[in-house]
Amino acid sequence: MRSKRARNTTAVAAFALFVLFIAGHDRRADDHGLFASERQPSKPKPKAAVGRFGPASGVASKPHLPPSKQAWTLDEARGHLALNPRDPYIQYVALQLADADGRRQSVAEEIERWTRPNNWRTGRRGQVDLFSIFSGALAVQESLQLDTLRDDRPQGRGRPQLASVKELKGPTIKGHPWKEMLAGRDPAVSELSGCVPSDQYLVQSRSLIKLVDLAETGDLWATHLFNQAAQDATSARVGDRLREQLAVRVSRLTRPFYDAVVEQVAVTGSDLYLREGSDVTLIFKIRQPAVFKPRLDQFLDEAAKSSPDAARSTGRYGGIDYVHVATPDRRVHVFSAYPRPDLHVRSNSLVGLARVLSAIQGKSETGDPVERLGETDEFKYIRTLMPEGAPDEDVFVYLSDPFIRHMVGPKLKLTERRRMLGYNHLRMINHAAMMYRTQYGQRAKTLADLVDGGCARDVYGEGPLASPVGGEYALGPDGLTGWCSMLGTPRSLVPCCELPLDDVTQAEAEAYQAFLNEYNSYWRTFFDPIAIRIRVTPGQYRAETIVLPLINNSIYTGLSQTLGGTPKPLDALPVPKGNIFTLAMQFDKGRLVGQLPGVVSGLTRELEGIAPAELQELDVKAFVERGLGDQIGLHMYDATQLFEFNLTGFLGQAFGTFQGRNWFSQETMWISMLVASLNSPVYLSIPVTDAAIVDRFFDALDPLLAAAARRPERGWFFEVNQDFYKLSGDESATPVRTFALSFGPLKWRFFWARIGDGLYVATKKFVLDDIAAAHAERSRQPAGVTPDAGPAAHAMIRIRPAHWEKVLPDFQLGWAENNRIACLNNLGRLSGVARAYAAEHADPANSDPRTAAEQILDEAGSLYGVDFLSPDGGEYVLARDGRTMAHTVYGSQLQPIQPERPGKASETTRALGELEGVTVQLTFLEDGLHAVLAIDRK
């Protein structure tokens, strides 16, 4: 069976970049006619013609064929959708059958009802975002397909043109004054940063193997996190596709070779649409050219021999020779050049190759100067904050100000918008072809066959289904895949930089203006580049980024005002054995002291008439200003989970903003603690700077709390009762105080005590006992032993997997449940393909089930544009009925089986098995916010 690894890092935008070496794609010419000989016509031909993309797409008549035994009926398709409402292929089948039955509108509304819960605010179609970088092409295509089949949007290129795209203005947000900020400094920059245009991203590393190791670990964690977060076990195989496309071999056998002969490697490109298809260029600084060149040229030779339809050619740009090897389906598509003996450039795009060669020479082929990233004041300034060659930098990722402006500019955004509309057509051709195969037991030969067979309403490429980029559509040689002369295939779209865009329509201009208004409303002050440096060692992965000061940004401003002071270690207090999660921060104590008069006034009003003499003894100012430190921590404790509660997500919302309101307040910690305590014990910790002041404060507070507890309060449904007492016990032990809130039959208790140099508030008494034991153990340590005090920062999150004991079975079951749901989601899609397979094969049930499953998985990969993974081991198999799929671990959709924990060989077990701990730290410095993520490995 195919590999069960997930290789798709979807993640976070900038972090996905370090995997760029493993993602991307290319096609034709630039918009300025540099390579006009390779261009395709901008308008579709009136009739079919056999071209390089496959068979003709003409209107050939198709004799009637009898339906197969596996042919879909509308009721069967609707029944399948009831189990798999987000399956775009079965949505297509149901809508096509409903159209023939005169029920298209009702079935479309039914699909909307099944899928609307994710978009309840504006409805399903209101959420289609054709300008998002990471929205997910498959999700966008599902909505576009429904719109197209309902005729809700005009298709094709028939709309009147408005003006040149050059007349549209991009974001007007100003850039930072880089020259003033640089102040004459001249930091060292890498040679490869001077080989990249300033408006492209840069990923550079001193070691190709470090880059690959980082990518593989990113893939592993992306697999686990994406499976758990989205219950999706698919992969676009971005990394494998790019390596194959670029004809680069990276294996255990080749690693010593790269380490010996490569001094530095860089990856660059003009956009981040890596899954759909993007230009990706590799630049190698070679240490031993005589050894490097023969090996890399050998990879080209092997790629040229890998397929009978692979073609090899040569060309020249700017006086530099290049070699081009490509297959018609773009599985291999590489340009290779040596601008200098010690420099090698390898790209999947001729435009991308030309841009990098121009940067290396400092001018384009026409003599125009090229601004190089490494020579800009912006890049040099960032290198003053993150010096070149620092020991904690194995990989450096950089998204420049011009690159971000390009990403949100009208030319790229509208090109990608058209590309996504064309991508939708290609996916719909895939669906129509698979439906035809199911209905008739054989594959269609032309696009017209799909119309004649009732699997398409119109011929793709004509009328309302005309290509939005002016290309021709065709059905590929396999009879299942849509092809476009301008876009390629849905699994390897031509990069945006290869697609011409001169004129825009009124609808396109209005759509971009709406996007721009929203963008400008958020980024109101400066464009900020994104820089990330990453260190890769056997024991740790460490990533650091700097966010330059964001003026008028409520999130940044709220955090910077709340957190402050000279950064100090945030984990210095004793950590008990049950601590599994910590959120700690160093707050601006001066700001808090300034708010004390209002706090004291409110407390006085609350306790008015209750023990007035004792109230006079309560010195709140001394308690806060001199008794307590300037840090606070919220901790989760190991315990059996009653229900799953996403504490980190809750806290993220609590510290974020909602319509400009900063949610961080004095109540945030208490609310977080209360809600989290419903699921497992939690506790707060605050360092103590003067134990005598703290003890006197609580002695004075005791009678006030006791008096207040005698006064009941009325709640919404129940009377709210309060209770306060000190626990009796050993008089020499640390006093433990308890306050309880009762809401009818429900009661929450909070226990607090000063233990050593810390004040602790816990929801369970045994937590304080464990803390006292940890404090005693630390006091017995010999002199000179320094415990881990955590990072010196303003905020910190720390996860301690080593302490997962009681919580682990619940975590494991939850992980296994998500893996099962992801696999069962895959079964619905695979079963639709299995049905087509059964229609084409006389007796699939008696064929080799392993071979049949392999072929079904391959065909499903072509249909959906992803690989179907099995995150918990096991295999997808053809069921006994010969027309549906099952899973050897999780059963079938109607007979699911649930293991108690992920298998030993699963991606989840592998990812967590090597995890020692995770630490995130935030520090506000003069030059901006420094954020560091450290993943410790066993």
mmCIF file of all heavy atoms in Angstrom, residues 836-873:
data_model
loop_
_atom_site.group_PDB
_atom_site.id
_atom_site.type_symbol
_atom_site.label_atom_id
_atom_site.label_comp_id
_atom_site.label_asym_id
_atom_site.label_seq_id
_atom_site.Cartn_x
_atom_site.Cartn_y
_atom_site.Cartn_z
ATOM 1 N N ALA A 836 -17.346 3.295 -9.187
ATOM 2 C CA ALA A 836 -16.943 3.442 -10.582
ATOM 3 C C ALA A 836 -16.013 2.309 -10.997
ATOM 4 O O ALA A 836 -16.099 1.796 -12.125
ATOM 5 C CB ALA A 836 -16.259 4.792 -10.779
ATOM 6 N N TYR A 837 -15.138 1.920 -10.105
ATOM 7 C CA TYR A 837 -14.233 0.791 -10.377
ATOM 8 C C TYR A 837 -15.038 -0.481 -10.610
ATOM 9 O O TYR A 837 -14.757 -1.255 -11.533
ATOM 10 C CB TYR A 837 -13.276 0.632 -9.199
ATOM 11 C CG TYR A 837 -12.295 -0.510 -9.341
ATOM 12 C CD1 TYR A 837 -11.084 -0.315 -9.993
ATOM 13 C CD2 TYR A 837 -12.574 -1.761 -8.806
ATOM 14 C CE1 TYR A 837 -10.166 -1.363 -10.115
ATOM 15 C CE2 TYR A 837 -11.671 -2.807 -8.914
ATOM 16 C CZ TYR A 837 -10.472 -2.607 -9.575
ATOM 17 O OH TYR A 837 -9.577 -3.636 -9.696
ATOM 18 N N ALA A 838 -16.058 -0.707 -9.785
ATOM 19 C CA ALA A 838 -16.897 -1.897 -9.935
ATOM 20 C C ALA A 838 -17.668 -1.878 -11.250
ATOM 21 O O ALA A 838 -17.911 -2.928 -11.864
ATOM 22 C CB ALA A 838 -17.857 -2.005 -8.752
ATOM 23 N N ALA A 839 -18.052 -0.669 -11.692
ATOM 24 C CA ALA A 839 -18.797 -0.572 -12.951
ATOM 25 C C ALA A 839 -17.927 -0.943 -14.139
ATOM 26 O O ALA A 839 -18.412 -1.476 -15.141
ATOM 27 C CB ALA A 839 -19.338 0.844 -13.129
ATOM 28 N N GLU A 840 -16.619 -0.688 -14.027
ATOM 29 C CA GLU A 840 -15.716 -0.938 -15.150
ATOM 30 C C GLU A 840 -15.151 -2.352 -15.145
ATOM 31 O O GLU A 840 -14.672 -2.838 -16.173
ATOM 32 C CB GLU A 840 -14.577 0.082 -15.126
ATOM 33 C CG GLU A 840 -13.770 0.145 -16.399
ATOM 34 C CD GLU A 840 -12.722 1.237 -16.359
ATOM 35 O OE1 GLU A 840 -12.227 1.539 -15.258
ATOM 36 O OE2 GLU A 840 -12.407 1.796 -17.416
ATOM 37 N N HIS A 841 -15.183 -3.009 -13.995
ATOM 38 C CA HIS A 841 -14.633 -4.359 -13.871
ATOM 39 C C HIS A 841 -15.773 -5.344 -13.664
ATOM 40 O O HIS A 841 -16.646 -5.142 -12.817
ATOM 41 C CB HIS A 841 -13.638 -4.433 -12.718
ATOM 42 C CG HIS A 841 -12.411 -3.595 -12.927
ATOM 43 N ND1 HIS A 841 -12.426 -2.222 -12.795
ATOM 44 C CD2 HIS A 841 -11.138 -3.925 -13.282
ATOM 45 C CE1 HIS A 841 -11.204 -1.742 -13.046
ATOM 46 N NE2 HIS A 841 -10.418 -2.762 -13.347
ATOM 47 N N ALA A 842 -15.713 -6.422 -14.401
ATOM 48 C CA ALA A 842 -16.836 -7.368 -14.421
ATOM 49 C C ALA A 842 -17.111 -7.958 -13.052
ATOM 50 O O ALA A 842 -18.259 -8.065 -12.622
ATOM 51 C CB ALA A 842 -16.554 -8.481 -15.439
ATOM 52 N N ASP A 843 -16.071 -8.344 -12.323
ATOM 53 C CA ASP A 843 -16.274 -9.016 -11.030
ATOM 54 C C ASP A 843 -15.236 -8.527 -10.036
ATOM 55 O O ASP A 843 -14.309 -9.264 -9.692
ATOM 56 C CB ASP A 843 -16.179 -10.535 -11.215
ATOM 57 C CG ASP A 843 -16.738 -11.290 -9.999
ATOM 58 O OD1 ASP A 843 -17.224 -10.627 -9.061
ATOM 59 O OD2 ASP A 843 -16.685 -12.528 -10.005
ATOM 60 N N PRO A 844 -15.364 -7.293 -9.564
ATOM 61 C CA PRO A 844 -14.334 -6.732 -8.681
ATOM 62 C C PRO A 844 -14.208 -7.463 -7.361
ATOM 63 O O PRO A 844 -13.146 -7.488 -6.757
ATOM 64 C CB PRO A 844 -14.802 -5.291 -8.470
ATOM 65 C CG PRO A 844 -16.272 -5.319 -8.734
ATOM 66 C CD PRO A 844 -16.462 -6.348 -9.795
ATOM 67 N N ALA A 845 -15.296 -8.086 -6.886
ATOM 68 C CA ALA A 845 -15.244 -8.758 -5.591
ATOM 69 C C ALA A 845 -14.306 -9.953 -5.618
ATOM 70 O O ALA A 845 -13.744 -10.334 -4.590
ATOM 71 C CB ALA A 845 -16.645 -9.207 -5.176
ATOM 72 N N ASN A 846 -14.133 -10.564 -6.801
ATOM 73 C CA ASN A 846 -13.269 -11.730 -6.900
ATOM 74 C C ASN A 846 -11.845 -11.379 -7.337
ATOM 75 O O ASN A 846 -11.011 -12.271 -7.502
ATOM 76 C CB ASN A 846 -13.860 -12.745 -7.893
ATOM 77 C CG ASN A 846 -15.138 -13.375 -7.349
ATOM 78 O OD1 ASN A 846 -15.293 -13.515 -6.140
ATOM 79 N ND2 ASN A 846 -16.057 -13.721 -8.241
ATOM 80 N N SER A 847 -11.578 -10.111 -7.582
ATOM 81 C CA SER A 847 -10.222 -9.697 -7.926
ATOM 82 C C SER A 847 -9.401 -9.555 -6.653
ATOM 83 O O SER A 847 -9.927 -9.608 -5.535
ATOM 84 C CB SER A 847 -10.254 -8.370 -8.685
ATOM 85 O OG SER A 847 -10.805 -7.355 -7.877
ATOM 86 N N ASP A 848 -8.109 -9.394 -6.820
ATOM 87 C CA ASP A 848 -7.223 -9.227 -5.665
ATOM 88 C C ASP A 848 -7.626 -7.958 -4.921
ATOM 89 O O ASP A 848 -7.491 -6.857 -5.463
ATOM 90 C CB ASP A 848 -5.777 -9.136 -6.138
ATOM 91 C CG ASP A 848 -4.801 -8.969 -4.976
ATOM 92 O OD1 ASP A 848 -5.229 -9.007 -3.814
ATOM 93 O OD2 ASP A 848 -3.601 -8.785 -5.241
ATOM 94 N N PRO A 849 -8.132 -8.047 -3.681
ATOM 95 C CA PRO A 849 -8.626 -6.846 -2.990
ATOM 96 C C PRO A 849 -7.524 -5.828 -2.735
ATOM 97 O O PRO A 849 -7.772 -4.623 -2.721
ATOM 98 C CB PRO A 849 -9.193 -7.403 -1.680
ATOM 99 C CG PRO A 849 -8.541 -8.731 -1.501
ATOM 100 C CD PRO A 849 -8.301 -9.270 -2.879
ATOM 101 N N ARG A 850 -6.294 -6.291 -2.535
ATOM 102 C CA ARG A 850 -5.202 -5.347 -2.312
ATOM 103 C C ARG A 850 -4.912 -4.539 -3.579
ATOM 104 O O ARG A 850 -4.741 -3.330 -3.541
ATOM 105 C CB ARG A 850 -3.948 -6.102 -1.860
ATOM 106 C CG ARG A 850 -2.762 -5.197 -1.531
ATOM 107 C CD ARG A 850 -1.603 -6.021 -1.013
ATOM 108 N NE ARG A 850 -1.932 -6.609 0.268
ATOM 109 C CZ ARG A 850 -1.716 -6.015 1.441
ATOM 110 N NH1 ARG A 850 -1.203 -4.810 1.473
ATOM 111 N NH2 ARG A 850 -2.031 -6.618 2.565
ATOM 112 N N THR A 851 -4.875 -5.241 -4.719
ATOM 113 C CA THR A 851 -4.644 -4.553 -5.987
ATOM 114 C C THR A 851 -5.791 -3.600 -6.304
ATOM 115 O O THR A 851 -5.584 -2.471 -6.756
ATOM 116 C CB THR A 851 -4.480 -5.566 -7.120
ATOM 117 O OG1 THR A 851 -3.382 -6.445 -6.814
ATOM 118 C CG2 THR A 851 -4.222 -4.877 -8.449
ATOM 119 N N ALA A 852 -7.021 -4.066 -6.072
ATOM 120 C CA ALA A 852 -8.184 -3.216 -6.330
ATOM 121 C C ALA A 852 -8.144 -1.973 -5.453
ATOM 122 O O ALA A 852 -8.408 -0.851 -5.920
ATOM 123 C CB ALA A 852 -9.464 -4.008 -6.088
ATOM 124 N N ALA A 853 -7.812 -2.130 -4.168
ATOM 125 C CA ALA A 853 -7.758 -0.993 -3.261
ATOM 126 C C ALA A 853 -6.678 -0.008 -3.688
ATOM 127 O O ALA A 853 -6.872 1.214 -3.629
ATOM 128 C CB ALA A 853 -7.506 -1.470 -1.835
ATOM 129 N N GLU A 854 -5.522 -0.525 -4.142
ATOM 130 C CA GLU A 854 -4.457 0.351 -4.622
ATOM 131 C C GLU A 854 -4.937 1.205 -5.788
ATOM 132 O O GLU A 854 -4.710 2.417 -5.830
ATOM 133 C CB GLU A 854 -3.255 -0.494 -5.056
ATOM 134 C CG GLU A 854 -2.264 -0.778 -3.953
ATOM 135 C CD GLU A 854 -1.458 0.450 -3.579
ATOM 136 O OE1 GLU A 854 -1.530 1.475 -4.298
ATOM 137 O OE2 GLU A 854 -0.785 0.413 -2.548
ATOM 138 N N GLN A 855 -5.610 0.578 -6.725
ATOM 139 C CA GLN A 855 -6.060 1.312 -7.900
ATOM 140 C C GLN A 855 -7.136 2.323 -7.533
ATOM 141 O O GLN A 855 -7.168 3.441 -8.052
ATOM 142 C CB GLN A 855 -6.590 0.331 -8.954
ATOM 143 C CG GLN A 855 -6.879 0.993 -10.293
ATOM 144 C CD GLN A 855 -7.087 -0.015 -11.398
ATOM 145 O OE1 GLN A 855 -6.712 -1.174 -11.271
ATOM 146 N NE2 GLN A 855 -7.697 0.431 -12.486
ATOM 147 N N ILE A 856 -8.032 1.939 -6.634
ATOM 148 C CA ILE A 856 -9.079 2.865 -6.193
ATOM 149 C C ILE A 856 -8.470 4.072 -5.489
ATOM 150 O O ILE A 856 -8.883 5.218 -5.716
ATOM 151 C CB ILE A 856 -10.081 2.131 -5.283
ATOM 152 C CG1 ILE A 856 -10.899 1.128 -6.107
ATOM 153 C CG2 ILE A 856 -11.001 3.118 -4.569
ATOM 154 C CD1 ILE A 856 -11.691 0.156 -5.271
ATOM 155 N N LEU A 857 -7.448 3.839 -4.652
ATOM 156 C CA LEU A 857 -6.783 4.945 -3.972
ATOM 157 C C LEU A 857 -6.097 5.871 -4.973
ATOM 158 O O LEU A 857 -6.136 7.103 -4.837
ATOM 159 C CB LEU A 857 -5.768 4.409 -2.969
ATOM 160 C CG LEU A 857 -6.346 3.864 -1.654
ATOM 161 C CD1 LEU A 857 -5.304 3.056 -0.913
ATOM 162 C CD2 LEU A 857 -6.836 5.002 -0.782
ATOM 163 N N ASP A 858 -5.461 5.287 -5.988
ATOM 164 C CA ASP A 858 -4.808 6.115 -6.998
ATOM 165 C C ASP A 858 -5.827 6.950 -7.762
ATOM 166 O O ASP A 858 -5.617 8.151 -8.014
ATOM 167 C CB ASP A 858 -4.034 5.226 -7.977
ATOM 168 C CG ASP A 858 -2.759 4.666 -7.369
ATOM 169 O OD1 ASP A 858 -2.269 5.258 -6.392
ATOM 170 O OD2 ASP A 858 -2.266 3.638 -7.850
ATOM 171 N N GLU A 859 -6.936 6.334 -8.165
ATOM 172 C CA GLU A 859 -7.951 7.055 -8.929
ATOM 173 C C GLU A 859 -8.640 8.110 -8.060
ATOM 174 O O GLU A 859 -8.981 9.199 -8.541
ATOM 175 C CB GLU A 859 -8.958 6.071 -9.508
ATOM 176 C CG GLU A 859 -8.350 5.158 -10.569
ATOM 177 C CD GLU A 859 -9.287 4.045 -10.995
ATOM 178 O OE1 GLU A 859 -10.394 3.949 -10.394
ATOM 179 O OE2 GLU A 859 -8.928 3.275 -11.891
ATOM 180 N N ALA A 860 -8.844 7.793 -6.775
ATOM 181 C CA ALA A 860 -9.428 8.784 -5.869
ATOM 182 C C ALA A 860 -8.482 9.963 -5.683
ATOM 183 O O ALA A 860 -8.909 11.111 -5.576
ATOM 184 C CB ALA A 860 -9.754 8.149 -4.524
ATOM 185 N N GLY A 861 -7.174 9.679 -5.664
ATOM 186 C CA GLY A 861 -6.209 10.762 -5.570
ATOM 187 C C GLY A 861 -6.288 11.707 -6.746
ATOM 188 O O GLY A 861 -6.187 12.923 -6.595
ATOM 189 N N SER A 862 -6.499 11.148 -7.955
ATOM 190 C CA SER A 862 -6.648 11.996 -9.139
ATOM 191 C C SER A 862 -7.960 12.772 -9.099
ATOM 192 O O SER A 862 -8.019 13.943 -9.487
ATOM 193 C CB SER A 862 -6.594 11.135 -10.400
ATOM 194 O OG SER A 862 -5.337 10.497 -10.527
ATOM 195 N N LEU A 863 -9.028 12.124 -8.629
ATOM 196 C CA LEU A 863 -10.337 12.778 -8.602
ATOM 197 C C LEU A 863 -10.368 13.945 -7.624
ATOM 198 O O LEU A 863 -10.861 15.032 -7.944
ATOM 199 C CB LEU A 863 -11.413 11.759 -8.232
ATOM 200 C CG LEU A 863 -12.835 12.311 -8.074
ATOM 201 C CD1 LEU A 863 -13.363 12.789 -9.417
ATOM 202 C CD2 LEU A 863 -13.761 11.240 -7.482
ATOM 203 N N TYR A 864 -9.829 13.741 -6.435
ATOM 204 C CA TYR A 864 -9.916 14.753 -5.387
ATOM 205 C C TYR A 864 -8.657 15.611 -5.261
ATOM 206 O O TYR A 864 -8.659 16.610 -4.542
ATOM 207 C CB TYR A 864 -10.216 14.096 -4.041
ATOM 208 C CG TYR A 864 -11.591 13.485 -3.963
ATOM 209 C CD1 TYR A 864 -11.787 12.128 -4.176
ATOM 210 C CD2 TYR A 864 -12.707 14.266 -3.696
ATOM 211 C CE1 TYR A 864 -13.056 11.565 -4.112
ATOM 212 C CE2 TYR A 864 -13.972 13.718 -3.625
ATOM 213 C CZ TYR A 864 -14.141 12.366 -3.839
ATOM 214 O OH TYR A 864 -15.399 11.818 -3.776
ATOM 215 N N GLY A 865 -7.577 15.208 -5.908
ATOM 216 C CA GLY A 865 -6.358 15.996 -5.850
ATOM 217 C C GLY A 865 -5.586 15.846 -4.560
ATOM 218 O O GLY A 865 -4.753 16.694 -4.236
ATOM 219 N N VAL A 866 -5.826 14.769 -3.800
ATOM 220 C CA VAL A 866 -5.121 14.536 -2.545
ATOM 221 C C VAL A 866 -4.856 13.047 -2.405
ATOM 222 O O VAL A 866 -5.479 12.221 -3.081
ATOM 223 C CB VAL A 866 -5.933 15.025 -1.322
ATOM 224 C CG1 VAL A 866 -6.083 16.530 -1.328
ATOM 225 C CG2 VAL A 866 -7.300 14.338 -1.259
ATOM 226 N N ASP A 867 -3.937 12.699 -1.531
ATOM 227 C CA ASP A 867 -3.744 11.315 -1.138
ATOM 228 C C ASP A 867 -4.560 11.039 0.111
ATOM 229 O O ASP A 867 -4.682 11.907 0.993
ATOM 230 C CB ASP A 867 -2.271 11.033 -0.844
ATOM 231 C CG ASP A 867 -1.510 10.660 -2.102
ATOM 232 O OD1 ASP A 867 -2.090 10.774 -3.196
ATOM 233 O OD2 ASP A 867 -0.333 10.264 -1.988
ATOM 234 N N PHE A 868 -5.095 9.840 0.212
ATOM 235 C CA PHE A 868 -5.893 9.454 1.376
ATOM 236 C C PHE A 868 -5.001 8.665 2.321
ATOM 237 O O PHE A 868 -4.519 7.577 1.987
ATOM 238 C CB PHE A 868 -7.107 8.647 0.928
ATOM 239 C CG PHE A 868 -8.093 9.459 0.145
ATOM 240 C CD1 PHE A 868 -7.963 9.596 -1.226
ATOM 241 C CD2 PHE A 868 -9.120 10.138 0.785
ATOM 242 C CE1 PHE A 868 -8.859 10.371 -1.953
ATOM 243 C CE2 PHE A 868 -10.019 10.915 0.077
ATOM 244 C CZ PHE A 868 -9.882 11.036 -1.304
ATOM 245 N N LEU A 869 -4.802 9.212 3.510
ATOM 246 C CA LEU A 869 -3.875 8.659 4.478
ATOM 247 C C LEU A 869 -4.594 7.817 5.514
ATOM 248 O O LEU A 869 -5.805 7.948 5.714
ATOM 249 C CB LEU A 869 -3.120 9.786 5.175
ATOM 250 C CG LEU A 869 -2.447 10.801 4.252
ATOM 251 C CD1 LEU A 869 -1.924 11.973 5.053
ATOM 252 C CD2 LEU A 869 -1.347 10.143 3.456
ATOM 253 N N SER A 870 -3.827 6.986 6.175
ATOM 254 C CA SER A 870 -4.347 6.184 7.272
ATOM 255 C C SER A 870 -3.524 6.515 8.506
ATOM 256 O O SER A 870 -2.498 5.893 8.774
ATOM 257 C CB SER A 870 -4.239 4.690 6.937
ATOM 258 O OG SER A 870 -4.859 3.900 7.919
ATOM 259 N N PRO A 871 -3.919 7.531 9.272
ATOM 260 C CA PRO A 871 -3.053 8.080 10.325
ATOM 261 C C PRO A 871 -2.795 7.133 11.482
ATOM 262 O O PRO A 871 -1.849 7.341 12.233
ATOM 263 C CB PRO A 871 -3.823 9.319 10.799
ATOM 264 C CG PRO A 871 -5.243 9.049 10.453
ATOM 265 C CD PRO A 871 -5.206 8.252 9.180
ATOM 266 N N ASP A 872 -3.605 6.103 11.627
ATOM 267 C CA ASP A 872 -3.436 5.194 12.758
ATOM 268 C C ASP A 872 -3.061 3.793 12.290
ATOM 269 O O ASP A 872 -3.393 2.803 12.925
ATOM 270 C CB ASP A 872 -4.731 5.135 13.581
ATOM 271 C CG ASP A 872 -4.468 4.634 14.996
ATOM 272 O OD1 ASP A 872 -3.291 4.653 15.417
ATOM 273 O OD2 ASP A 872 -5.421 4.241 15.666
ATOM 274 N N GLY A 873 -2.373 3.709 11.155
ATOM 275 C CA GLY A 873 -2.041 2.406 10.621
ATOM 276 C C GLY A 873 -3.249 1.760 9.962
ATOM 277 O O GLY A 873 -4.291 2.382 9.759
#
